[in-house]
Coordinates of all heavy atoms in Angstrom, one line a residue:
Y338 N -13.7 -55.6 -55.9 CA -14.9 -56.3 -55.3 C -14.5 -57.6 -54.6 O -14.9 -57.9 -53.5 CB -15.8 -56.6 -56.5 CG -17.0 -57.5 -56.1 CD1 -18.0 -56.9 -55.3 CD2 -17.1 -58.8 -56.5 CE1 -19.0 -57.7 -54.9 CE2 -18.2 -59.6 -56.2 CZ -19.2 -59.0 -55.4 OH -20.3 -59.8 -55.0
L339 N -13.5 -58.3 -55.2 CA -13.0 -59.5 -54.6 C -12.3 -59.2 -53.2 O -12.5 -60.0 -52.2 CB -12.0 -60.3 -55.4 CG -12.6 -61.0 -56.7 CD1 -11.5 -61.4 -57.6 CD2 -13.4 -62.2 -56.2
N340 N -11.5 -58.2 -53.2 CA -10.9 -57.8 -51.9 C -12.0 -57.5 -50.9 O -11.9 -57.9 -49.7 CB -10.0 -56.5 -52.1 CG -8.6 -56.9 -52.6 OD1 -8.2 -58.0 -52.6 ND2 -7.9 -55.8 -53.2
S341 N -13.1 -56.9 -51.3 CA -14.1 -56.5 -50.3 C -14.9 -57.8 -49.8 O -15.3 -57.8 -48.6 CB -15.1 -55.4 -50.9 OG -15.9 -56.1 -51.8
I342 N -15.1 -58.7 -50.6 CA -15.8 -59.9 -50.2 C -15.0 -61.0 -49.6 O -15.5 -62.0 -49.0 CB -16.8 -60.5 -51.3 CG1 -16.0 -60.9 -52.5 CG2 -17.9 -59.5 -51.6 CD1 -16.8 -61.6 -53.6
T343 N -13.7 -61.0 -49.8 CA -12.8 -62.1 -49.2 C -12.0 -61.5 -48.1 O -11.3 -62.3 -47.4 CB -11.9 -62.6 -50.3 OG1 -11.0 -61.6 -50.8 CG2 -12.6 -63.2 -51.5
G344 N -11.9 -60.2 -47.9 CA -11.1 -59.7 -46.8 C -9.6 -59.7 -47.2 O -8.7 -59.5 -46.3
R345 N -9.3 -59.9 -48.5 CA -7.8 -59.9 -48.9 C -7.4 -58.5 -49.2 O -8.2 -57.6 -49.4 CB -7.7 -60.8 -50.1 CG -8.2 -62.2 -49.9 CD -7.1 -63.1 -49.4 NE -7.7 -64.4 -49.2 CZ -7.0 -65.5 -49.2 NH1 -5.7 -65.5 -49.4 NH2 -7.5 -66.7 -49.0
E346 N -6.1 -58.4 -49.4 CA -5.5 -57.1 -49.9 C -4.7 -57.4 -51.1 O -3.5 -57.2 -51.2 CB -4.7 -56.4 -48.8 CG -5.6 -55.9 -47.7 CD -4.8 -55.2 -46.6 OE1 -3.6 -55.1 -46.7 OE2 -5.4 -54.7 -45.6
M347 N -5.3 -58.0 -52.1 CA -4.6 -58.3 -53.4 C -4.1 -57.0 -54.0 O -4.8 -56.0 -54.0 CB -5.5 -59.0 -54.3 CG -6.1 -60.4 -53.8 SD -6.9 -61.3 -55.1 CE -8.3 -60.3 -55.5
V348 N -2.9 -57.0 -54.5 CA -2.4 -55.9 -55.3 C -3.0 -56.0 -56.7 O -2.9 -57.0 -57.3 CB -0.8 -56.0 -55.4 CG1 -0.3 -54.8 -56.1 CG2 -0.1 -56.2 -54.0
L349 N -3.5 -54.8 -57.1 CA -4.4 -54.8 -58.3 C -3.7 -54.2 -59.5 O -3.0 -53.1 -59.3 CB -5.7 -54.1 -58.1 CG -6.5 -54.7 -56.9 CD1 -7.8 -53.9 -56.8 CD2 -6.8 -56.2 -57.0
W350 N -3.8 -54.8 -60.6 CA -3.4 -54.2 -61.9 C -4.6 -53.2 -62.3 O -5.7 -53.4 -61.9 CB -3.3 -55.2 -63.0 CG -3.0 -54.7 -64.4 CD1 -3.9 -54.4 -65.4 CD2 -1.7 -54.4 -64.9 NE1 -3.2 -53.9 -66.5 CE2 -1.9 -53.9 -66.2 CE3 -0.4 -54.5 -64.3 CZ2 -0.8 -53.5 -67.0 CZ3 0.6 -54.0 -65.1 CH2 0.4 -53.6 -66.3
D351 N -4.2 -52.1 -62.9 CA -5.2 -51.0 -63.1 C -5.9 -51.1 -64.5 O -5.8 -50.2 -65.3 CB -4.5 -49.7 -62.9 CG -5.4 -48.5 -62.8 OD1 -6.6 -48.8 -62.5 OD2 -5.1 -47.3 -63.1
G352 N -6.6 -52.2 -64.8 CA -7.3 -52.3 -66.1 C -8.8 -52.3 -65.9 O -9.3 -52.4 -64.7
A353 N -9.5 -52.1 -67.0 CA -11.0 -52.1 -66.8 C -11.6 -52.5 -68.2 O -11.0 -52.3 -69.2 CB -11.5 -50.8 -66.3
C354 N -12.9 -52.8 -68.1 CA -13.8 -53.0 -69.3 C -14.5 -51.7 -69.7 O -15.2 -51.2 -68.8 CB -14.7 -54.2 -69.1 SG -16.1 -54.1 -70.2
H355 N -14.4 -51.2 -70.9 CA -15.1 -49.9 -71.2 C -16.6 -50.1 -71.2 O -17.2 -49.0 -70.9 CB -14.5 -49.4 -72.5 CG -15.1 -50.2 -73.7 ND1 -14.8 -51.5 -73.9 CD2 -15.9 -49.8 -74.6 CE1 -15.5 -51.9 -75.0 NE2 -16.1 -50.8 -75.5
V356 N -17.1 -51.3 -71.4 CA -18.6 -51.4 -71.4 C -19.1 -51.3 -70.0 O -20.1 -50.5 -69.7 CB -18.9 -52.8 -72.1 CG1 -20.5 -53.0 -72.1 CG2 -18.4 -52.9 -73.5
H357 N -18.5 -52.0 -69.1 CA -19.1 -52.1 -67.8 C -18.8 -50.9 -66.9 O -19.4 -50.6 -65.9 CB -18.5 -53.4 -67.0 CG -19.2 -54.6 -67.5 ND1 -18.7 -55.3 -68.6 CD2 -20.3 -55.2 -67.1 CE1 -19.5 -56.3 -68.9 NE2 -20.5 -56.3 -67.9
E358 N -17.8 -50.1 -67.3 CA -17.5 -48.8 -66.6 C -18.4 -47.7 -67.0 O -18.4 -46.6 -66.4 CB -16.0 -48.4 -66.8 CG -15.0 -49.4 -66.0 CD -13.8 -48.6 -65.4 OE1 -13.3 -47.7 -66.1 OE2 -13.6 -48.8 -64.3
K359 N -19.1 -47.9 -68.1 CA -20.0 -46.9 -68.7 C -21.4 -46.7 -68.1 O -22.1 -45.8 -68.5 CB -20.0 -47.2 -70.2 CG -19.9 -46.0 -71.0 CD -19.6 -46.3 -72.5 CE -20.4 -47.4 -73.1 NZ -20.1 -47.6 -74.6
F360 N -21.7 -47.7 -67.3 CA -23.1 -47.6 -66.8 C -23.3 -46.3 -65.9 O -22.4 -45.9 -65.2 CB -23.5 -48.8 -66.0 CG -23.7 -50.0 -66.8 CD1 -22.8 -51.1 -66.7 CD2 -24.7 -50.1 -67.7 CE1 -23.0 -52.2 -67.5 CE2 -25.0 -51.2 -68.5 CZ -24.0 -52.3 -68.4
S361 N -24.5 -45.8 -66.0 CA -24.7 -44.5 -65.3 C -25.5 -44.8 -64.0 O -26.7 -45.2 -64.1 CB -25.6 -43.5 -66.3 OG -26.2 -42.5 -65.4
V362 N -24.9 -44.5 -62.9 CA -25.6 -44.7 -61.6 C -26.8 -43.9 -61.5 O -27.9 -44.3 -61.1 CB -24.7 -44.5 -60.4 CG1 -25.4 -44.4 -59.1 CG2 -23.6 -45.6 -60.4
E363 N -26.7 -42.6 -62.0 CA -27.8 -41.6 -62.0 C -29.0 -42.1 -62.8 O -30.1 -42.1 -62.2 CB -27.4 -40.2 -62.6 CG -26.4 -39.4 -61.7 CD -25.0 -40.0 -61.7 OE1 -24.7 -40.7 -62.7 OE2 -24.2 -39.7 -60.8
K364 N -28.7 -42.7 -64.0 CA -29.9 -43.2 -64.7 C -30.5 -44.4 -64.1 O -31.6 -44.7 -64.2 CB -29.4 -43.4 -66.2 CG -29.1 -42.2 -67.0 CD -28.7 -42.5 -68.4 CE -28.3 -41.4 -69.2 NZ -27.8 -41.7 -70.5
I365 N -29.6 -45.2 -63.5 CA -30.1 -46.5 -62.8 C -31.0 -46.0 -61.7 O -32.1 -46.6 -61.4 CB -29.0 -47.4 -62.4 CG1 -28.4 -47.9 -63.7 CG2 -29.5 -48.6 -61.5 CD1 -27.1 -48.8 -63.5
V366 N -30.6 -45.0 -60.9 CA -31.4 -44.6 -59.8 C -32.7 -44.0 -60.2 O -33.8 -44.3 -59.7 CB -30.6 -43.5 -58.9 CG1 -31.5 -42.8 -57.9 CG2 -29.4 -44.1 -58.3
A367 N -32.7 -43.3 -61.4 CA -34.0 -42.8 -62.0 C -34.9 -43.9 -62.4 O -36.1 -43.9 -62.2 CB -33.7 -41.9 -63.2
L368 N -34.3 -45.0 -63.0 CA -35.1 -46.1 -63.4 C -35.7 -46.8 -62.1 O -36.8 -47.3 -62.2 CB -34.2 -47.2 -64.1 CG -34.0 -47.1 -65.6 CD1 -33.0 -48.1 -66.1 CD2 -35.4 -47.3 -66.3
K369 N -34.9 -46.8 -61.1 CA -35.5 -47.5 -59.9 C -36.7 -46.7 -59.4 O -37.6 -47.3 -58.8 CB -34.4 -47.5 -58.7 CG -33.4 -48.6 -58.6 CD -34.1 -49.9 -58.2 CE -34.0 -50.1 -56.7 NZ -34.5 -51.5 -56.3
K370 N -36.7 -45.4 -59.6 CA -37.8 -44.6 -59.1 C -39.1 -45.0 -60.0 O -40.2 -45.1 -59.4 CB -37.6 -43.1 -59.2 CG -36.7 -42.6 -58.1 CD -36.7 -41.2 -57.9 CE -35.7 -40.7 -56.8 NZ -34.8 -39.7 -57.3
E371 N -38.8 -45.2 -61.2 CA -40.0 -45.6 -62.1 C -40.4 -47.0 -61.8 O -41.6 -47.4 -62.0 CB -39.5 -45.6 -63.6 CG -39.6 -44.3 -64.3 CD -38.9 -44.4 -65.7 OE1 -39.3 -45.4 -66.4 OE2 -38.0 -43.6 -66.0
H372 N -39.5 -47.9 -61.4 CA -39.7 -49.3 -61.2 C -39.2 -49.7 -59.8 O -38.2 -50.3 -59.6 CB -39.0 -50.2 -62.2 CG -39.3 -49.9 -63.6 ND1 -40.4 -50.5 -64.3 CD2 -38.8 -49.1 -64.5 CE1 -40.4 -50.1 -65.5 NE2 -39.6 -49.2 -65.7
P373 N -40.0 -49.2 -58.7 CA -39.5 -49.4 -57.4 C -39.3 -50.9 -56.9 O -38.5 -51.2 -56.1 CB -40.5 -48.7 -56.5 CG -41.7 -48.3 -57.4 CD -41.3 -48.4 -58.8
E374 N -40.0 -51.7 -57.6 CA -39.9 -53.2 -57.2 C -38.7 -53.9 -57.9 O -38.4 -55.0 -57.6 CB -41.2 -53.9 -57.7 CG -42.5 -53.4 -57.1 CD -42.5 -53.6 -55.6 OE1 -42.2 -54.7 -55.1 OE2 -42.8 -52.6 -54.9
A375 N -38.1 -53.2 -58.9 CA -37.1 -53.9 -59.7 C -35.8 -54.1 -59.0 O -35.4 -53.2 -58.2 CB -36.8 -53.0 -61.0

Side-chain angles (χ1 to χ4, degrees):
Y338 176 68
L339 286 169
N340 277 343
S341 74
I342 59 171
T343 62
R345 305 273 178 152
E346 288 180 359
M347 299 189 295
V348 181
L349 306 182
W350 179 262
D351 194 19
C354 156
H355 74 296
V356 178
H357 286 87
E358 286 219 316
K359 220 164 47 178
F360 288 112
S361 160
V362 169
E363 290 73 22
K364 288 185 188 172
I365 292 172
V366 170
L368 269 176
K369 269 290 266 188
K370 284 196 184 128
E371 276 175 50
H372 301 270
E374 301 297 314

